[in-house]
Amino acid sequence: MTRPSPDPSPSSRPAGGLTAAVPPPGCPAHDPGPGGVHRLYGPVASADPFGLYERLRAEHGSVAPVLLEGDVPAWLVLGYAEILEVTRNPRRFSRDGRNWGEYRAGRVSAASPIAPVLLWGPDCTHEDGEVHQRLRSALNQSLDRFDRRGLRRHVQRYAHQLIDRFAAAGEAEILGQYAQQLPMLALTTVLGLPEEEGPRLVRASRQLLIGTEKAVSADRYIQRTLGELVARKSTDPGHDLASWLLAHPADLSDEEVVHHLRLVMVAGNETTTNLIVNTLRVVLTHPRFRGSLHGGRMTLPAAVEQVLWDEPPISVCPGGFATQDVELGGQHIREGDVLLLGLAAANVDPAVRPAPGAPMHGNRSHLAFTSGPHECPGQDIGRAITGTAIEVLLARLPDLRLTAEPDDLSWSSSTWSRHLDALPVAFSRRDPAPSGAGTTAAGEAVPAEPAVAPAAEAGARHRRLGRETPRGVPHAGPTRAWRALRARLRRWGLHRYR
């Protein structure tokens, strides 16, 4: 892999540059790795990943050389248009890690911390062509069988259970006690796992994405747990993703099923946790943002989309491996080079956004879920879990407030993501929600309902999120519980939320 000079010619710099000041040479925050190439990992990158993306754009333009764990060379794609070019041209940029030059040369092994993310595996994110289409269609069609209304009610029940654990205390650490637990509780049901597996899988999936020496052992634990699940579902199927993938006409092997369950679990848990807590942080710390919600100028779904522009839950993700020498963003990419997608950087690309933080109301063209044939398949489920989680929390604890100064909040970063370490809050003490199968956000009991629709019933339901009515059955109008919920949301300025 050829590396541009650390001080490229003016013609290779982006027009207009950046508004942020670039630290002078010798500054610790500007200390590059071997060959003058910046590391995408380590204390310097973790301290200010967004600042690093800006420096890379200022120095190299829309595509910059970087180093991964072990000082493995890679290209980080920072430009919005360049990410679209990579994601929409799988013939030039393969997702199959067996095309990786560093791996073929033996400089990256299966024991590397970056191996679980970048090396080949039998799932749709690491395949191309007909194999990708076969696996992706099986995953998409299996995910489409979920009853979104049932999933939302299932998330509501878990949300109320978690809130009940701290509601009487009048204070909580909302990341650890809520946002980190709720997505995995929902995903265990989606996958077909018992809910007691949730806490261990949360820890393992986070270790995998942090990219430490524990990543490989965490990945082995995840695959072993999911392998045991697939063995059970092979003889005792249910209404869950594991069973539906096993029964799909695409005839997935057990190994392929395990890897797709791993994909949904790891990506879905981390992204949804980050999206929940990032949205809550913005609501609690930015008066303009919270005022827009209170005043009805922004709906909750619109608020979530704004956060996806500003704080995408995954900052960097694999983009592919060049199958031939190619020019991209003014850089010469050699066959076998690995490209990473700088999703957070592309969302603030000056070519598509007037300024970082600029309102993007009604615009869902962000790259938080990437693009092209490998676009995140479970993003609608993630949005449903996020929206329901925030809706229930704000309805139960309407005076929720941050107990730390915004500047005192600390963050942890890895090559792939940036997340809060804690989000401490306070509120008026509340009694637990009424006991029973579950409750609505308004606090009224609802009957138990499976999170997924039986196979025979799934095809007879509309697929619109949260508004699934059997075909041919007239809508009965809002229930008393729904009217109470809308009244509560109207007081919060969220009356247009659906």
Side-chain angles (χ1 to χ4, degrees), residues 195-276:
E195 65 181 67
E196 57 266 21
E197 291 285 355
R200 290 188 293 270
L201 290 171
V202 166
R203 292 190 293 270
S205 61
R206 176 141 292 194
Q207 286 294 335
L208 192 152
L209 288 176
I210 289 174
T212 66
E213 66 278 359
K214 297 181 180 179
V216 175
S217 60
D219 192 38
R220 283 198 296 264
Y221 171 75
I222 290 170
Q223 293 197 43
R224 183 172 65 253
T225 300
L226 295 176
E228 294 168 355
L229 169 67
V230 169
R232 291 197 304 272
K233 294 297 180 179
S234 296
T235 57
D236 185 21
H239 302 303
D240 49 65
L241 185 59
S243 300
W244 292 337
L245 286 173
L246 285 166
H248 195 275
D251 194 24
L252 276 65
S253 68
D254 286 0
E255 185 183 22
E256 288 172 335
V257 173
V258 167
H259 277 259
H260 284 89
L261 297 176
R262 168 185 177 270
L263 169 66
V264 171
M265 187 197 74
V266 174
N269 178 68
E270 179 74 5
T271 57
T272 307
T273 290
N274 287 349
L275 186 54
I276 291 171

Side-chain angles (χ1 to χ4, degrees), residues 65-138:
V66 294
L67 297 173
L68 296 173
E69 284 81 352
D71 285 344
V72 175
W75 295 100
L76 181 62
V77 186
L78 304 160
Y80 187 97
E82 287 75 17
I83 284 185
L84 293 183
E85 184 174 348
V86 171
T87 57
R88 296 177 182 181
N89 288 279
R91 290 188 178 181
R92 287 194 294 166
F93 305 102
S94 168
R95 294 298 293 268
D96 188 337
R98 292 169 293 193
N99 292 312
W100 190 7
E102 295 293 312
Y103 175 69
R104 295 199 308 256
R107 290 188 287 270
V108 174
S109 73
S112 168
I114 56 177
V117 178
L118 289 173
L119 291 188
W120 176 84
D123 61 61
C124 60
T125 63
H126 295 95
E127 294 281 12
D128 304 309
E130 293 182 0
V131 177
H132 167 261
Q133 293 175 11
R134 176 179 71 89
L135 297 175
R136 178 68 184 235
S137 64

